[in-house]
Amino acid sequence: MIFANPKKLVLCATANQLLVGVWHAGKLQGNQAFANNEAGHQAFAAFLQQYPSSPVYLIADAVEEDFRLESLPHTTGSAKQELITRKLNQHYRGLDYRTAHFIDRDKDKRKDDNFLFVAISKDDFLQAWVAIIKAQEAQLVGVYLLPMLSQVLMRQLKLTAPHLLICEKLSSGLRQTYFHHGCLRMSRLVPNVPDGSGQLGYFYLVEIEKTRLYLMSQRYITRDTHLNLALVSANGSTQQISQGISQEQGLNCSDVNLSSLAKTLGLPVPLLQEKPELMHMQLLASGHFVDNLAPDWLTKYFQFNKLKQGLAIGTALVGFFGMAAAAWMFKEGWDHKSAFEQAQQDTQIQQHRYDEAAKDFPVTQISANDLKVAVELDKTIAAFPKSPRLMMQVVSTALAPTAQGTLDEVQIDRLHWVLTNDSNVNDQDKFTPLPVATGSVQTPTNALPPADPTKLIEVGFLTAQISGFTGDYRRALNSLNQFVTNIKADARVADVTVLQEPVNVSSFVSLQGSTTDEQSTQKQPAFFKLKIVLKPASDVANVSGVQP
């Protein structure tokens, strides 16, 4: 029989045959039985070749099993594993299929751990099947005892009696499994079940009594213990037997019909009636795993395949996240490139707008750096309680065009502004600095405190020159006189003194140069210097129409 795309192979080995089921997505896709002989072994080997990568789960329905209940000191980690291994070697040295099933922990002061040590004492019926699985390098996940899956079945059926004996009629015989408060204690398989319905009831009655006596001998129960019996069947065929046992022996015996559970799990009831082991195989295929009895060397191909799958998944995840990171970085780069191009376009637009607006700007010879320095100086001057603004306004007013003409040739080189109480101060004198706007006073330690700035006199020393001077001394003197006249005409000015004229008019100075070649004569710059004294602020305020 050929099955398409199986996901799991679940095997159930008995003394006479091997039942194989193929499950896909939790549903049984097909089953096949192989006899425990040479022909069956060859057929199973050929069947197994069709599923080289499918995981294999092997259930052992053994006649010779051993169950031992032990209490061990509570430990964890490697100490716990070492203690369990030592106890397994003590009970089952030389046996391949063994395990320790944890039950619970005591509630007394020591709080010991209770374990059920389980082993298959005679595994001849498994050797041929395991050898084929090993030769085919099949992915054997583990070997499991059928009674342990009966514990899963009990929980699925919600049987909660404290002392429960489940009787299952299987292909291998009558399986009787005892549970104490839902935990497995022992199991017993009786082969050669009679076919006749009349003999079957007596057979059940005799074997149940044998099991009851065995439980009493092992002190699992006493003679007065109320033992509950559950006869499991696929279609309720054990109902009459359970009624007879209840009437004759006075035991609480009930019939458990698996048809409802089989329909829930997707198992055909007629098929389950023919092969009852399929119920345990279905539970294992559905993910209800129990303790594994197989040694590590037997499951190495499965572990190696898991490692390969883990590496493949890890590689795929790394590749996926790498691609995602690359895509994210590409998107970020693309966004940055788009933003850069957009910024370039915005810059060009703003530059175009600036160029269009700059066409209407007045033409000026002052550079941007000079304008910046002027603004910074204005901020510095504004920090003082009194500024040379008024002196600058006076000079600017004198340079403005009037009816008498313009003074474009007058070029200001330096303006030294002084705030003092002495109108006879000289340009080279050093003065005590005034307090800044923050209120701090910067004076020498031996100096007197400065006077009130509002009551001091503003004195300005103006150094200028006649720009473009070509030797026309009369014009230079006229420009100077006109400039001085304009300053004196300002109502805010108290006095103007010419400290230096652009031309030395003294009669003691000798004349040099050629009168025939005017351009060959080297011209000296026409510098002049003025001293401007402003009126006090109170006098300026009284002048009509003039603001200080």
Side-chain angles (χ1 to χ4, degrees):
M1 186 178 295
I2 299 177
F3 305 96
N5 299 324
K7 184 179 181 180
K8 294 180 181 179
L9 297 180
V10 182
L11 288 59
C12 183
T14 64
N16 300 322
Q17 67 174 6
L18 177 70
L19 180 60
V20 180
V22 181
W23 271 263
H24 180 70
K27 299 296 182 180
L28 178 63
Q29 304 295 313
N31 67 93
Q32 186 175 356
F34 301 94
N36 193 6
N37 52 35
E38 186 65 25
H41 297 164
Q42 294 178 0
F44 174 66
F47 170 82
L48 202 59
Q49 290 178 356
Q50 304 175 32
Y51 310 99
S53 60
S54 298
V56 179
Y57 304 82
L58 178 58
I59 300 175
D61 189 9
V63 177
E64 299 186 18
E65 304 164 328
D66 188 77
F67 300 88
R68 296 175 184 266
L69 184 63
E70 294 277 354
S71 294
L72 300 179
H74 178 69
T75 54
T76 57
S78 59
K80 178 179 180 180
Q81 187 62 36
E82 183 179 355
L83 189 61
I84 292 175
T85 303
R86 185 183 305 172
K87 185 63 69 172
L88 287 172
N89 291 332
Q90 178 183 348
H91 293 311
Y92 309 122
R93 184 177 298 275
L95 298 182
D96 292 332
Y97 305 101
R98 60 187 188 178
T99 189
H101 172 67
F102 176 76
I103 299 177
D104 55 13
R105 189 176 178 187
D106 291 337
K107 297 182 180 180
D108 56 5
K109 294 183 179 180
R110 290 187 56 180
K111 296 184 178 180
D112 291 341
D113 294 331
N114 296 319
F115 287 91
L116 181 67
F117 291 89
V118 182
I120 300 176
S121 55
K122 190 174 181 180
D123 58 357
D124 297 343
F125 71 102
L126 287 177
Q127 292 179 0
W129 308 118
V130 171
I132 296 172
I133 293 173
K134 187 178 179 182
Q136 297 290 334
E137 297 184 358
Q139 311 296 321
L140 180 62
V141 180
V143 177
Y144 312 93
L145 270 183
L146 188 140
M148 290 187 170
L149 291 167
S150 297
Q151 181 173 343
V152 178
L153 178 61
M154 176 205 66
R155 293 172 181 172
Q156 293 289 322
L157 297 174
K158 299 180 181 180
L159 303 176
T160 59
H163 297 276
L164 178 64
L165 182 65
I166 294 182
C167 301
E168 303 174 82
K169 184 178 178 297
L170 305 174
S171 302
S172 57
L174 178 62
R175 167 70 66 178
Q176 300 176 79
T177 308
Y178 169 69
F179 298 94
H180 178 252
H181 292 284
C183 297
L184 176 65
R185 287 292 185 270
M186 60 81 62
S187 185
R188 175 171 174 259
L189 177 63
V190 182
N192 303 323
V193 179
D195 297 331
S197 58
Q199 298 177 352
L200 189 60
Y202 178 76
F203 177 79
Y204 267 85
L205 186 61
V206 171
E207 295 302 329
I208 290 174
E209 183 61 24
K210 289 180 181 179
T211 302
R212 184 168 173 270
L213 293 175
Y214 175 79
L215 294 174
M216 291 172 59
S217 66
Q218 297 296 319
R219 298 183 180 179
Y220 287 127
I221 62 173
T222 63
R223 187 175 296 274
D224 298 331
T225 300
H226 186 69
L227 183 64
N228 290 269
L229 303 179
L231 307 186
V232 180
S233 62
N235 57 355
S237 57
T238 58
Q239 184 175 4
Q240 294 182 353
I241 299 176
S242 63
Q243 292 177 355
I245 293 175
S246 299
Q247 295 173 0
E248 296 181 11
Q249 299 296 326
L251 299 176
N252 186 5
C253 184
S254 60
D255 176 72
V256 179
N257 194 332
L258 297 179
S259 59
S260 298
L261 181 60
K263 292 178 181 179
T264 303
L265 298 176
L267 282 177
V269 176
L271 183 61
L272 181 62
Q273 188 176 0
E274 180 184 355
K275 300 174 181 179
E277 295 84 358
L278 287 175
M279 176 59 71
H280 303 78
M281 298 167 68
Q282 174 68 53
L283 293 175
L284 184 60
S286 300
H288 298 281
F289 297 107
V290 293
D291 296 271
N292 179 21
L293 279 71
D296 294 337
W297 57 265
L298 193 57
T299 60
K300 63 179 181 179
Y301 294 111
F302 173 71
Q303 299 298 333
F304 182 68
N305 187 62
K306 278 184 62 177
L307 179 61
K308 290 196 301 182
Q309 291 179 354
L311 291 176
I313 294 174
T315 304
L317 290 177
V318 171
F320 172 76
F321 286 113
M323 292 294 294
W328 179 79
M329 294 178 65
F330 177 79
K331 179 181 179 300
E332 288 291 316
W334 183 266
D335 293 342
H336 291 164
K337 180 181 178 181
S338 301
F340 176 73
E341 294 176 352
Q342 183 64 35
Q344 285 184 323
Q345 294 178 1
D346 294 341
T347 303
Q348 293 176 358
I349 293 174
Q350 294 299 329
Q351 184 65 37
H352 178 71
R353 292 177 178 176
Y354 174 79
D355 295 340
E356 291 295 328
K359 292 179 181 179
D360 300 331
F361 290 172
V363 179
T364 177
Q365 298 179 352
I366 302 176
S367 64
N369 291 333
D370 294 340
L371 291 175
K372 180 180 178 181
V373 172
V375 172
E376 292 177 351
L377 287 175
D378 180 74
K379 293 180 179 179
T380 303
I381 293 173
F384 289 88
K386 194 170 184 65
S387 69
R389 185 182 301 275
L390 183 60
M391 182 65 69
M392 293 180 179
Q393 291 176 354
V394 170
V395 175
S396 297
T397 302
L399 292 173
T402 60
Q404 290 75 16
T406 61
L407 296 175
D408 296 338
E409 65 275 12
V410 177
Q411 177 179 325
I412 306 299
D413 292 339
R414 174 176 175 268
L415 176 61
H416 181 196
W417 176 75
V418 181
L419 192 63
T420 180
N421 52 7
D422 185 8
S423 60
N424 298 320
V425 66
N426 295 326
D427 190 10
Q428 289 77 17
D429 292 347
K430 297 182 179 179
F431 306 97
T432 301
L434 295 174
V436 295
T438 56
S440 62
V441 179
Q442 301 177 353
T443 59
T445 56
N446 58 352
L448 295 175
D452 186 1
T454 60
K455 298 180 181 180
L456 297 178
I457 301 173
E458 295 186 51
V459 179
F461 295 93
L462 180 67
T463 301
Q465 64 175 308
I466 303 300
S467 62
F469 179 66
T470 59
D472 190 349
Y473 301 106
R474 182 179 298 278
R475 183 177 178 181
L477 289 174
N478 291 336
S479 298
L480 172 61
N481 295 331
Q482 182 64 41
F483 183 49
V484 172
T485 302
N486 292 345
I487 295 176
K488 289 182 178 180
D490 198 318
R492 295 168 289 186
V493 178
D495 183 41
V496 179
T497 304
V498 179
L499 300 179
Q500 179 181 337
E501 294 182 346
V503 178
N504 192 347
V505 296
S506 174
S507 60
F508 299 100
V509 178
S510 61
L511 298 176
Q512 297 178 357
S514 174
T515 58
T516 60
D517 190 0
E518 180 180 355
Q519 295 182 356
S520 65
T521 304
Q522 184 177 3
K523 306 298 187 300
Q524 297 294 330
F527 289 103
F528 64 90
K529 187 174 183 179
L530 304 179
K531 178 182 178 181
I532 305 172
V533 181
L534 301 184
K535 296 179 180 179
S538 58
D539 295 343
V540 175
N542 293 330
V543 179
S544 176
V546 179
Q547 296 297 329

